[in-house]
Amino acid sequence: MRTTLRVRGCSSPYSRAASLSSRALVGPRPICTLRMETSSDSGALMPMLSCTDIQEMKGLTSNTTSILTVANLALETRASPGHTPGCVTFVLNDHSMAFTGDALLIRGCGRTDFQQGCAKTLYHSVHEKIFTLPGDCLIYPAHDYHGLTVSTVEEERTLNPRLTLSCEEFIKVMDNLNLPKPQQIDFAVPANMRCGVQTPPS
């Protein structure tokens, strides 16, 4: 059974839509619309996003929320910048699940040393927008490098080695990770900012 939803027309899982600033409504028209579609993996009916106007993607603030609804399913969109300025977390309406993208990973978090990331902003996003959810709320990150699929708010509040630190300690850790540059970053970031649309070489 899949633990993530997928973005239709984007280059990443649904929870990863955080990095694309996928909001329900921005300006005069929607940039992403939600519809139901059958999963090719499981055959289950699931919500799918279709990115339609990435140029309208602007300025979701830390106090901005919107609701994506399909039938009786409602997902609250919480701004959770820091890994990128446009990261969001999708929270099920009963607060039983949260899809945290790259903001909060299992026993970790997204890096903050590129894509206009900011360690201080990420720390406050996680503590104010995710760790305030009920302790038994299930956390589904965009990905995991160790094969894990789900955690809980309480587990990450108490066991996450980075986010249990003070803000000042967290910033020092994130500033000294010295991670290698991702191999495809020069292609992936511009594509992400265009909702996965590739520019053909001239």
Side-chain angles (χ1 to χ4, degrees), residues 66-77:
S66 60
I67 303 296
L68 305 175
T69 58
V70 177
N72 62 346
L73 174 68
L75 291 169
E76 177 188 338
T77 308

Side-chain angles (χ1 to χ4, degrees), residues 11 14 63 73 75 93 98 106 108 111 129 141 144 154 159 163 171 178 183-184 188-189 193-194:
S11 57
Y14 180 60
N63 294 320
L73 174 68
L75 291 169
N93 57 332
I106 298 175
R111 60 194 293 178
K129 301 295 182 178
D144 183 84
E154 184 61 25
L159 300 175
L163 289 156
I171 293 170
N178 298 317
Q183 292 182 352
Q184 300 297 318
V189 171
M193 295 179 72
R194 293 190 300 271

Side-chain angles (χ1 to χ4, degrees), residues 53-103:
D53 190 1
I54 199 64
Q55 298 305 318
E56 289 296 319
M57 198 168 63
K58 297 176 182 176
L60 181 67
T61 70
S62 59
N63 294 320
T64 303
T65 59
S66 60
I67 303 296
L68 305 175
T69 58
V70 177
N72 62 346
L73 174 68
L75 291 169
E76 177 188 338
T77 308
R78 295 188 175 197
S80 48
H83 172 62
T84 70
C87 286
V88 297
T89 292
F90 296 104
V91 182
L92 203 61
N93 57 332
D94 63 359
H95 290 183
S96 64
M97 299 181 189
F99 301 90
T100 58
D102 284 346

